[in-house]
Every structure is written in structure tokens, then in C-alpha cells.
């Protein structure tokens, strides 16, 4: 489903991603963990090309996204094609990024009404179905600023799902939430995973990783240092850096 | 010499002033329209990744902000006609002059408001598959317009006041109407005070109107 091969990314002189490769199968849930500044959010944002890369390839269902390699040269993809590919990859942000001037149902229906050949009744019906799925059908007419953080994030998930994406990317979806609101968002994500959605999740929620992930990927210093089944990573990590990181986050949790 | 404000209502002076006021309002509204179009275009252009476009828009801003409106009006009306045989009517030159001048200021208002919108809004739009411009028009600008309103109100008021300069290029607006009356009866104080009051009424109405508009556009619970 997603094939990342040897990508390099620089911010000026700063080498943020160093030859990272990652493959994600259809229906798989991959959780990326690692210390802050390790490049895990950047890697995630490369998948829908919100971040440009300088080297390597990213393919979604066999189609390259962002950087095309033609006759030995790397050229950026035309924006038009990029927009089409992005419409099939949903993204959920740490800070929700809901549209504050639209109510909940408008937030959810705006993109499909603009981009898909979908009539308004169909879009509304689908949006209501999605809001029901995230448990917010009664908030359809509310504005984002009147919702709690957990509710906002669930709307953001519904908004991304409205484009019927093949892949969902989650960029620290619970990091901006009060602790008591984290559960409701994770519950929605768990349901999504159960429904067979292909998901890549950057998170500090180790319990979620343990429970839901098919595979855990550990990043440090712009490299992918270890990956494997969650039970193996959490019980017998091979890399000392993984051990160190897990010791820090797990003691904090208790 | 004693003051006699009744002179405002004698010899058909008042209807004449009102006719001038109507032209002032008309000219201002037309210039405002032009100014908003120019402001939007120049403001967006200045943020373009295309260097030639942002450079060109920067040049526009520098020129029209850096030269006096009166001089610009003179160039447009007398300069073009005599130098290049481009003969604009007085009101055409007036609307163009005011609109282009004020457009420079509006472009800065537009740019400031757009740049004040959180970057995450553009990212969210793009992540859904919307193009840069689709996100701009559906997500960014509707939020930015709300933030522009108070400063845009200021600009609208400044425009009304600046329209008095059109009297110099023979547009028969309020100021010129006053000048003509004064040339006849020498009642400077009474007539100009009367004109000032009329300008004030217009501008005060504008500021009230903007306030109503702001309240109307404030969506429930949205903090801007």
C-alpha cells in the first residue's frame, strides 16, 4: 500500500530523515514511536507530501507521490496530480485544524462537495453516517470552538474519512488533549483499525501501540532504528536506544 | 461680519451640496470596489512564490503608497490627456486614481489578514486534496475577511475623505460644490462647516455599518 524507499529530507543543512525506508501493507496499522525530534512526524507528513523530500521515492499503491524520477532526474510532481493523490490519503493533525468558520457538518462535507462528484443530499447523508460513527451526530450544527478537544478531533477524523481515503495518517492525534479526553479519540481509532483501514500513527500512547498496532516502528535521530510486532518491541527491544526510550516513556506513564 | 448659517439653505445651496454629496458617495463606492479588487490581487500576488509576480506587486505598493494622491490624480487627468492624448473623463480618472491609491493600502490589509490565519488551515485543506487556491477561497479568505473588516472600515473612511481631492480635477463632488458656492457668497466658515458635517455624517454611518457587519459575520462561538 505504502512503499517508502530510502528517503532523505533536509531543512537547510539539518538532515531530518536519513535514508528511511518503510513498507505498509493494506489493512495494516503501523505505529511510529520515538523521542521528540526523531523525525517521526516529518516521516508521516512525507507520505501525503505535506513535506517535500530531496531523495528517494514514496509510492502509494504503486504510484509515486511528490517526487518523480524521470530519466535520472528528480522532478516535483504537478500539483494537480498531487491533489488527486492527497484526496485518497486522510490526515488527522495534532491541533485538529478544523475550519472554525464552518459548522461540523460543513467541515465534513466541504471537501467531498468540492472535489467529488457528489450531490448535496448524498454528501450530507454520508457525513451524518460518519458523525454517527464517531459519536457526534447531535453536534452536526455546532461550531468547532464550542466543542471539547476530544470532540474536535473526532470531527477531524470524520472530515478525513469523508473523502473515503485508502489510508489514514495520524500525527500525534491525542497530544493536544486533556488526559480524560484521550480515550474517546483512541476508541474511534481502534474501531477504524478493526474496520480494516490502513493506518500510520505517530503517537506517545504506548497502550494504543501495544493493543492496536500490527507493527511498531521506532525512530531516532532521523533513522528508523527498529521495527517489529508490538509485543516484541515492548518486551525485548534489540536496540539500546529503543530500551532507553521505552524506559523513559513507560516510567512516565506509571 | 456675523455668522449666518441660514445661508446653507438659501439660493438652492443645500440641494446643490446634497447633489455633490451623492457624487462623493458614488465615487467613493466605485473606488472602494476597485480598491478591494486591486487590494486582493496585489495582496495575494505579493505572497506568490513566483518572484516576478511578487516583485511586480511590491513595486505597485511602493509606488502608490509612496506618491501623493493629489499628484497621482493630476497625472491621470491632466498628465495623460496632455502628454499622451489619453483623455479620461474627470470621474473616470477620479475612480481610477482613488481606487489604485487605496488598493495599495488594502493589499497590505489583505496580506496581513491572510498571514494571520494559522498555517494548519492551509495544511488541512491541502491534506484533503484541495488545491492551494481552493483552500485559499474556501478556507483562508472567509476567515481573513472577518479579520480585515475593522481595518477595511478605516480605509473606507479614509477613501471618503480623500475623495475631496477630486474637486481639483473638476469632479463635481461635495468639496467642489462647496468651493463653487463659496466663490459666489464668501461664506467660508458656514459652507465649509456644513460640508464637514455632511462628510462626518457619511463616515459615521460607515463606521456604524461596519460594526453591524462585524457582528453579523461573527459566527456563534468563533473567536477571531
Amino acid at each position: 500500500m505504502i512503499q517508502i524507499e530510502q528517503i532523505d529530507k533536509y531543512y537547510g543543512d539539518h538532515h531530518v530523515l536519513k535514508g528511511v525506508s518503510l513498507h505498509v501493507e493494506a489493512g495494516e496499522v503501523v505505529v511510529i514511536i520515538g523521542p521528540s525530534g526523531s523525525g517521526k512526524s516529518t516521516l508521516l507528513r512525507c507520505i501525503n507530501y505535506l513535506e517535500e523530500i530531496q531523495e528517494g521515492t514514496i509510492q502509494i499503491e504503486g504510484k509515486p507521490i511528490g517526487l518523480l524520477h524521470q530519466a535520472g532526474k528528480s522532478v516535483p510532481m504537478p500539483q494537480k496530480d498531487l491533489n488527486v493523490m492527497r484526496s485518497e490519503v486522510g490526515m488527522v493533525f495534532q491541533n485538529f485544524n478544523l475550519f472554525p468558520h464552518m459548522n461540523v457538518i460543513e467541515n465534513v462535507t466541504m471537501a467531498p462537495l468540492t472535489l467529488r462528484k457528489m450531490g448535496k443530499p448524498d454528501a450530507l447523508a454520508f457525513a451524518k453516517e460518519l458523525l454517527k460513527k464517531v459519536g457526534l451526530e447531535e453536534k452536526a450544527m455546532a461550531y468547532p470552538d464550542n466543542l471539547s478537544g476530544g470532540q474536535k478531533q473526532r470531527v477531524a477524523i470524520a472530515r478525513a474519512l469523508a473523502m473515503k481515503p485508502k489510508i489514514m495518517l495520524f500525527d500525534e492525534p491525542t497530544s493536544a488533549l486533556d488526559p480524560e479526553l484521550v480515550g474517546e479519540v483512541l476508541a474511534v481509532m481502534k474501531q477504524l483499525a478493526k474496520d480494516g483501514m490502513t493506518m500510520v500513527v505517530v503517537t506517545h500512547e504506548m497502550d494504543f501501540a501495544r493493543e492496536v498496532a500490527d507493527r511498531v516502528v521506532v525512530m531516532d535521530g532521523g533513522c528508523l532504528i527498529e521495527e517489529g510486532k508490538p509485543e516484541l518491541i515492548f518486551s525485548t527491544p534489540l536496540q539500546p536506544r529503543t530500551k532507553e526510550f521505552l524506559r523513559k516513556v513507560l516510567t512516565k506513564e506509571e | 461680519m456675523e455668522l449666518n448659517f441660514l445661508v446653507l439653505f438659501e439660493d438652492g445651496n443645500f440641494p446643490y451640496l446634497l447633489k455633490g454629496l451623492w457624487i462623493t458617495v458614488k465615487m467613493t463606492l466605485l473606488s472602494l470596489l476597485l480598491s478591494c479588487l486591486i487590494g486582493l490581487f496585489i495582496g495575494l500576488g505579493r505572497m506568490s512564490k513566483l518572484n516576478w509576480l511578487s516583485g511586480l506587486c511590491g513595486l505597485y505598493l511602493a509606488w502608490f503608497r509612496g506618491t501623493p494622491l493629489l499628484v497621482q490624480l493630476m497625472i491621470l487627468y491632466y498628465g495623460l490627456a496632455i502628454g499622451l492624448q489619453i483623455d479620461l473623463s474627470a470621474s473616470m480618472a477620479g475612480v481610477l486614481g482613488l481606487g489604485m491609491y487605496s488598493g495599495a493600502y488594502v493589499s497590505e490589509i489583505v496580506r496581513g489578514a491572510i498571514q494571520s490565519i494559522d498555517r494548519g488551515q492551509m495544511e488541512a485543506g491541502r491534506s484533503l486534496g484541495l488545491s492551494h487556491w481552493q483552500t485559499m477561497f474556501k478556507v483562508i479568505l472567509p476567515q481573513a475577511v472577518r479579520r480585515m473588516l475593522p481595518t477595511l472600515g478605516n480605509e473606507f473612511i479614509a477613501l471618503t475623505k480623500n475623495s475631496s481631492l477630486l474637486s481639483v480635477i473638476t469632479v463635481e463632488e461635495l468639496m467642489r460644490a462647496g468651493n463653487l458656492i463659496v466663490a459666489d457668497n464668501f461664506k467660508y466658515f458656514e459652507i465649509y462647516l456644513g460640508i464637514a458635517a455632511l462628510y462626518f455624517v457619511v463616515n459615521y454611518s460607515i463606521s456604524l455599518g461596519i460594526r453591524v457587519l462585524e457582528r453579523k459575520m461573527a459566527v456563534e462561538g468563533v473567536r477571531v
Side-chain angles (χ1 to χ4, degrees), chain B:
Chain B
M1 194 161 145
E2 56 190 81
L3 295 178
N4 175 18
F5 282 97
L6 286 177
V7 75
L8 277 166
F9 303 98
E10 289 163 2
D11 305 326
N13 285 346
F14 198 64
Y16 189 61
L17 287 178
L18 282 186
K19 206 179 127 215
L21 181 67
W22 171 236
I23 293 176
T24 290
V25 169
K26 241 180 6 190
M27 299 294 285
T28 308
L29 283 177
L30 285 173
S31 323
L32 181 76
L33 204 68
L34 181 65
S35 143
C36 287
L37 284 175
I38 291 178
L40 185 64
F41 184 80
I42 299 289
L44 289 172
R46 284 248 290 153
M47 290 183 289
S48 168
K49 275 188 202 139
L50 303 170
N51 284 333
W52 62 267
L53 185 59
S54 64
L56 218 60
C57 293
L59 213 62
Y60 179 94
L61 173 69
W63 176 256
F64 282 95
R65 202 170 51 176
T67 53
L69 175 57
L70 186 55
V71 177
Q72 291 171 22
L73 290 173
M74 289 299 202
I75 294 173
L76 270 173
Y77 186 56
Y78 296 111
L80 287 185
I82 292 167
L84 301 174
Q85 278 76 49
I86 302 173
D87 205 353
L88 300 175
S89 72
S91 19
M92 182 62 138
V95 169
L96 275 180
L98 275 181
M100 292 196 298
Y101 173 80
S102 162
Y105 289 89
V106 172
S107 79
E108 284 291 271
I109 298 173
V110 168
R111 192 171 65 95
I114 287 175
Q115 286 178 341
S116 76
I117 305 291
D118 183 59
R119 239 173 54 121
Q121 294 288 309
M122 179 55 84
E123 286 187 348
R126 297 308 302 275
S127 80
L128 288 164
L130 270 69
S131 71
H132 177 86
W133 290 111
Q134 281 172 325
T135 313
M136 186 58 87
F137 283 102
K138 289 193 179 262
V139 176
I140 310 287
L141 274 177
Q143 297 179 58
V145 164
R146 236 167 260 156
R147 293 190 192 180
M148 285 177 217
L149 273 183
T151 22
L152 218 48
N154 274 346
E155 188 52 37
F156 192 9
I157 287 170
L159 198 59
T160 310
K161 293 191 289 187
N162 282 338
S163 74
S164 63
L165 288 175
L166 299 185
S167 60
V168 181
I169 58 167
T170 74
V171 178
E172 305 240 346
E173 43 69 73
L174 183 54
M175 184 67 190
R176 184 166 167 88
N179 286 341
L180 291 179
I181 294 173
V182 167
D184 213 39
N185 64 10
F186 306 108
K187 298 284 185 191
Y188 289 93
F189 189 71
E190 293 90 333
I191 297 294
Y192 285 131
L193 204 60
I195 289 176
L198 288 176
Y199 275 117
F200 178 80
V201 167
V202 170
N203 282 335
Y204 196 69
S205 317
I206 293 172
S207 61
L208 288 183
I210 291 279
R211 220 179 296 165
V212 170
L213 203 61
E214 265 178 70
R215 217 171 304 142
K216 254 197 165 154
M217 285 184 81
V219 178
E220 170 198 6
V222 175
R223 287 176 286 267
V224 281

Side-chain angles (χ1 to χ4, degrees), chain A residues 45 48 79 83 86-87 89 93 97-102 110-111 114-115 143 145-146 159 163, chain B residues 118 120-121 123-131 134 138-139 142-143 146 219-223:
Chain A
R45 290 160 56 88
N48 66 352
Q79 286 288 320
N83 294 336
R86 277 181 180 148
S87 72
V89 181
F93 299 86
N97 295 343
L98 291 179
F99 307 133
H101 59 301
M102 302 178 190
M110 190 273 273
T114 310
L115 298 172
Y143 280 87
D145 277 357
N146 294 334
R159 178 177 71 176
M163 290 299 288
Chain B
D118 183 59
Q121 294 288 309
E123 286 187 348
R126 297 308 302 275
S127 80
L128 288 164
L130 270 69
S131 71
Q134 281 172 325
K138 289 193 179 262
V139 176
Q143 297 179 58
R146 236 167 260 156
V219 178
E220 170 198 6
V222 175
R223 287 176 286 267

Side-chain angles (χ1 to χ4, degrees), chain A residues 125-181:
Chain A
F126 186 48
K128 279 186 188 142
E129 195 182 305
L130 289 171
L131 287 178
K132 195 170 172 186
K133 198 169 172 179
V134 300
L136 288 171
E137 42 192 333
E138 80 284 5
K139 292 286 183 191
M141 292 301 154
Y143 280 87
D145 277 357
N146 294 334
L147 300 178
S148 74
Q151 291 171 330
K152 280 185 204 172
Q153 197 59 299
R154 286 185 282 152
V155 173
I157 293 173
R159 178 177 71 176
L161 290 175
M163 290 299 288
K164 300 187 176 150
K166 295 170 180 149
I167 300 164
M168 284 286 283
L169 308 175
F170 292 86
D171 188 4
E172 304 201 27
T174 58
S175 297
L177 298 179
D178 290 336
E180 76 269 22
L181 301 176

